[in-house]
Amino acid sequence: MFGDYSIGDLGAIFAMQGFAGLILFSVYVLMALGLAIIFGQMGVINMAHGEFMILGAYVTWMTSNLFQSYLPSLFAGYFFIAMILAFIASGALGMLVEWGLIRHLYKRPLDTLLATWGLSLILQQAYRSIFGAREVGVELPQWMLGSKQVTDTIEIPINGMFVMALTVLITAVVFYLLFWSRWGRQVRAVMQNRVMAGAVGINTEKVDRYTFGLGCGIAGIAGSAFTMIGSTGPTSGQLYIVDTFLVVVFGGAASLFGTIASAFSISQAQSTMEFFMSGSMAKVLTLLAIVAILMVRPQGLFALKVRK
Amino acid sequence: MDSPRFLSRTDLLGLAVLAVLLVVILPLTLDVFRLNLVAKYLTYAFVAIGLVLCWGFGGILSLGQGVFFGLGGYCMAMYLKLEASSVENTKIQSTPGIPDFMDWNQITQLPWFWQPFHSLTLTIVAILVVPTVFAYLIGAAMFKRRVGGVYFAIITQAIAAIMTILIIGQQGYTGGINGITDLRTLKGWDIRPDHAKVVLYFVEVAFLFGCILLALFVRHAKLGRILVAMREKEDRVRFSGYSVANFKIFAFCLAAMFAAIGGAMFTLNVGFMSPSFVGIVPSIEMVIYTAVGGRLSIFGAVYGTLLVNFAKTSLSESFPQLWLFGLGALFIAVVLIFPNGLAGIWRDNVQPLFGKLISKRKPGSDHGNGKPFGSVADGAPAE
């Protein structure tokens, strides 16, 4: 499979696919960060995570329509407002779900899987009833279109770079929130020992609700970013959910750094292989490799050493 | 239920009620089309019974049962397809004698893994052995390393995803997204006309009772008790000297084999097999059949499967939109409100009433107070 290419060609291919992989990497990180908080920190299996992303995408789509009809002069900047709205909408829905559903199930993680799967079915049908079954695409402002030529063989689309920049920003914010802020210390305390955290005066119910809301809100931002790359339909969320869970599990559920590392390796492997074989085979091989590695290292790449 | 017999009186009663329903009432009241629908639903009941064993008793939630269902179904479909594509049936193709979709995909020779499916005996062996070996490989790799619970669920789900992508991607070898269609005869016996459908229904019911008996046997044997003990306190069972991994592997393999039998019967009843019965969505739906029936009740699994599928067919015929809302609400309700499903409702609400009405025995006595959903685990917690 490598035989037909010269060394120089291979270098260019790897570089080009590497950049394509970086965009995929950003997408994975955005998808997985929210899940890493919800699954890795809280232990809740949220199968409706994809639907929270789709909510963000629909909010973005509505915002862009609103701006197009009423504020065409500000269209260039609508995306930033759309992302904030997507965060708020998904986060609010997340807190509602936590209150109505998840908080009854903290001791039964496998049951959260079934319940949130039911939630995802309901949300999908709701999207279909409200927005129609057709996929919707968002119109991008002028400055996001086009691409930047780096060398004569490599060019990077601007919206891809925007997603990458966004990913870096969101990741930095999440790391700040979880590891440096007072609130993050409370979150980690509650997740490690709920009873003890409650005993020292932390309002564990409130922490749970905001943590879940934050995870869902980040999913909303991810959905918002998605609209730049592809179109959105009621069932798009289901396409990503397995990938996202594998990214989180592969990296080691409780480790945010592991999530990022695993998103990087998975996306690079997939995008490099995609050049040499069909997309579906690349996907199969990547997933198989992940499953095989998970069988050797069940706790993921970066397992935290904790006493259970 | 400390009786050493593997069939207690409640189990016998449950078997009798189910037998009357499936062998007498349904065939007499339904036309052939509806009966064939019931046959299709019952193929999922095989999966659901397997899930009661490995999820309800063993505590291993597999989200990949569709894979085993599909493996069984595809094995059967490959045999039927080869029989349907004899040289004279396919003489308009550029290479006669191979399945039509291979011809469309410019494959001129039957691939090696299709060769054994010329023989019915080998096919039946494959239906039973291939999924079981596959389940053994997954189970051994996971349980020996003490991977369980959530991680196991996610990995089986990933395997279901891999399987679907593989089947759809390898169109020339598997028929792709359309699956293997246009199946006609089994050893020269036409499976399409009405009387064949009725015969197949009864054959399937017979197999189903075979699986139920096997499941009841496992449940009442020491094996079943160890499974329940493992679910409750895995470490204590391990410290008592049992090989926890091997018991889990056994339960998982048995569930896989049940699912494969269901899949093979599905192919015979419905006349085709496609990847839409393999992936994540059907696999999770199979779990909900078990959950609705009651994850601890073997009979409940059968009733749950029938009920959910009847609801699905009738609701999605008249209100296609409501069905997904209904199914979603069902998932949430089963988890939040009645975690033990129909069997739990029966045991906690209906059965005490019956007990008061028809029997003057003490409410604590276990035998002879008429409960079809009899096989609730000893000392299972209410949750």
Side-chain angles (χ1 to χ4, degrees):
Chain A
M1 107 184 163
F2 295 108
D4 306 336
Y5 302 98
S6 72
I7 302 287
D9 282 347
L10 278 177
I13 289 168
F14 280 121
M16 210 167 58
Q17 294 301 109
F19 275 108
L22 274 184
I23 295 173
L24 192 65
F25 161 64
S26 320
V27 170
Y28 275 157
V29 168
L30 279 182
M31 292 194 309
L33 264 185
L35 203 66
I37 293 172
I38 293 174
F39 176 60
Q41 304 290 320
M42 304 178 76
V44 172
I45 314 177
N46 183 16
M47 294 300 280
H49 196 73
E51 277 62 40
F52 283 101
M53 292 197 299
I54 302 305
L55 179 66
Y58 274 120
V59 168
T60 310
W61 175 68
M62 285 194 295
T63 320
S64 95
N65 283 358
L66 275 178
F67 268 74
Q68 248 172 345
S69 336
Y70 299 107
L71 296 164
S73 55
L74 296 176
F75 189 69
Y78 88 87
F79 213 90
F80 300 97
I81 295 176
M83 276 191 317
I84 294 169
L85 289 178
F87 178 80
I88 294 172
S90 297
L93 182 66
M95 298 212 291
L96 191 70
V97 166
E98 201 276 343
W99 172 77
L101 188 64
I102 306 293
R103 71 187 165 118
H104 306 290
L105 300 172
Y106 281 122
K107 286 185 185 141
R108 296 185 278 158
L110 278 178
D111 284 357
T112 59
L113 189 158
L114 285 182
T116 50
W117 180 262
L119 178 72
S120 88
L121 292 180
I122 291 176
L123 287 177
Q124 277 172 31
Q125 186 55 47
Y127 297 151
R128 202 172 287 130
S129 306
I130 299 170
F131 302 107
R134 280 222 333 267
E135 300 216 329
V136 296
V138 169
E139 205 163 310
L140 292 178
Q142 204 58 44
W143 61 270
M144 276 191 199
L145 301 173
S147 56
K148 194 168 169 40
Q149 199 83 23
V150 181
T151 67
D152 33 324
T153 44
I154 300 165
E155 57 176 337
I156 314 165
I158 293 189
N159 57 6
M161 289 204 288
F162 184 76
V163 175
M164 282 190 240
L166 186 69
T167 306
V168 172
L169 182 71
I170 304 279
T171 315
V173 169
V174 168
F175 265 84
Y176 170 76
L177 276 179
L178 275 183
F179 295 107
W180 280 285
S181 76
R182 185 183 162 76
W183 179 78
R185 279 201 294 275
Q186 292 190 348
V187 171
R188 285 180 293 141
V190 171
M191 300 319 151
Q192 279 181 12
N193 193 333
R194 189 175 299 268
V195 179
M196 197 54 96
V200 296
I202 297 173
N203 184 345
T204 57
E205 283 185 20
K206 204 168 142 194
V207 168
D208 283 334
R209 192 150 313 146
Y210 283 107
T211 315
F212 197 82
L214 176 71
C216 293
I218 294 172
I221 295 184
S224 187
F226 263 20
T227 56
M228 285 186 282
I229 297 166
S231 52
T232 308
T235 50
S236 310
Q238 252 175 20
L239 300 176
Y240 307 115
I241 193 71
V242 174
D243 291 342
T244 317
F245 264 109
L246 279 184
V247 167
V248 174
V249 171
F250 186 54
S255 156
L256 275 191
F257 178 70
T259 302
I260 292 165
S262 90
F264 184 77
S265 43
I266 293 173
S267 59
Q268 289 300 330
Q270 188 167 332
S271 99
T272 310
M273 278 195 283
E274 248 167 30
F275 192 85
F276 297 103
M277 58 188 89
S278 72
S280 69
M281 278 318 282
K283 182 110 198 177
V284 166
L285 284 183
T286 318
L287 292 182
L288 270 182
I290 298 169
V291 169
I293 294 174
L294 278 180
M295 285 175 174
V296 184
R297 276 188 75 91
Q299 299 301 319
L301 290 180
F302 294 85
L304 296 183
K305 289 198 172 51
V306 285
R307 197 181 286 194
K308 281 187 191 157
Chain B
M1 253 190 278
D2 271 316
S3 118
R5 294 165 298 169
F6 99 86
L7 285 178
S8 64
R9 261 163 76 183
T10 48
D11 290 338
L12 282 175
L13 199 69
L15 278 172
V17 171
L18 191 64
V20 169
L21 180 74
L22 292 182
V23 181
V24 183
I25 299 179
L26 289 180
L28 285 181
T29 52
L30 299 177
D31 55 41
V32 175
F33 173 73
R34 295 271 161 191
L35 195 66
N36 193 39
L37 271 186
V38 175
K40 185 179 149 189
Y41 304 159
L42 284 181
T43 57
Y44 298 126
F46 286 88
V47 188
I49 294 171
L51 277 170
V52 170
L53 286 180
C54 80
W55 179 38
F57 296 158
I60 319 155
L61 176 55
S62 157
L63 293 182
Q65 291 307 96
V67 170
F68 306 120
F69 186 82
L71 279 174
Y74 266 97
C75 286
M76 194 78 227
M78 281 154 90
Y79 170 77
L80 297 177
K81 188 71 196 174
L82 283 184
E83 204 175 300
S85 28
S86 59
V87 177
E88 67 261 34
N89 277 343
T90 52
K91 52 178 176 276
I92 51 163
Q93 291 175 184
S94 48
T95 34
I98 62 166
D100 45 14
F101 57 82
M102 290 187 188
D103 195 58
W104 303 333
N105 286 285
Q106 280 89 39
I107 289 171
T108 50
Q109 219 190 348
L110 201 62
W112 59 269
F113 60 90
W114 275 73
Q115 298 293 353
F117 294 96
H118 279 296
S119 142
L120 183 58
T121 324
L122 282 182
T123 305
I124 292 172
V125 172
I127 289 171
L128 296 177
V129 171
V130 171
T132 315
V133 168
F134 192 49
Y136 177 80
L137 292 177
I138 300 172
M142 307 287 291
F143 298 134
K144 296 271 186 201
R145 299 195 55 87
R146 301 192 189 171
V147 183
V150 175
Y151 291 89
F152 186 75
I154 290 171
I155 288 179
T156 45
Q157 194 176 36
I159 291 170
I162 295 172
M163 200 73 181
T164 340
I165 301 173
L166 199 63
I167 291 175
I168 294 175
Q170 298 298 310
Q171 201 177 11
Y173 301 115
T174 59
I177 189 115
N178 298 318
I180 301 182
T181 53
D182 196 23
L183 307 175
R184 295 167 192 172
T185 53
L186 177 73
K187 271 271 182 220
W189 179 65
D190 201 329
I191 59 167
R192 289 165 298 174
D194 282 356
H195 62 84
K197 300 271 184 213
V198 177
V199 172
L200 282 174
Y201 171 80
F202 283 107
V203 171
E204 183 183 331
V205 170
F207 281 144
L208 186 68
F209 275 95
C211 287
I212 292 177
L213 283 175
L214 192 57
L216 285 174
F217 176 71
V218 168
R219 196 264 156 278
H220 287 296
K222 193 176 164 191
L223 174 65
R225 293 168 193 278
I226 292 174
L227 279 178
V228 174
M230 245 162 44
R231 182 194 64 197
E232 297 304 326
K233 267 275 175 286
E234 190 175 321
D235 282 338
R236 285 196 196 167
V237 179
R238 185 175 288 126
F239 299 153
S240 309
Y242 292 103
S243 161
V244 167
N246 286 345
F247 284 101
K248 283 189 174 180
I249 294 169
F250 179 81
F252 187 54
C253 287
L254 197 62
M257 196 168 79
F258 284 179
I261 298 172
M265 285 315 294
F266 179 91
T267 307
L268 282 173
N269 275 311
V270 181
F272 73 98
M273 188 71 214
S274 88
S276 55
F277 305 101
V278 175
I280 296 166
V281 177
S283 301
I284 294 190
E285 276 192 29
M286 289 166 190
V287 172
I288 199 68
Y289 303 151
T290 315
V292 168
R295 62 186 77 166
L296 296 174
S297 164
I298 292 162
F299 292 108
V302 180
Y303 292 109
T305 312
L306 286 177
L307 208 72
V308 176
N309 277 296
F310 266 124
K312 180 178 188 170
T313 313
S314 49
L315 267 181
S316 56
E317 270 168 10
S318 30
F319 316 97
Q321 298 220 325
L322 276 181
W323 164 242
L324 269 186
F325 283 128
L327 186 65
L330 195 63
F331 270 93
I332 294 174
V334 161
V335 170
L336 277 189
I337 305 166
F338 39 96
N340 279 327
L342 287 174
I345 294 178
W346 175 268
R347 195 187 37 165
D348 298 339
N349 300 317
V350 185
Q351 198 191 317
L353 278 180
F354 261 110
K356 271 184 209 156
L357 285 176
I358 60 170
S359 154
K360 290 190 176 158
R361 282 160 194 265
K362 274 182 285 177
S365 82
D366 227 321
H367 300 293
N369 47 3
K371 47 169 184 178
F373 303 102
S375 58
V376 172
D378 317 23
E383 173 249 87

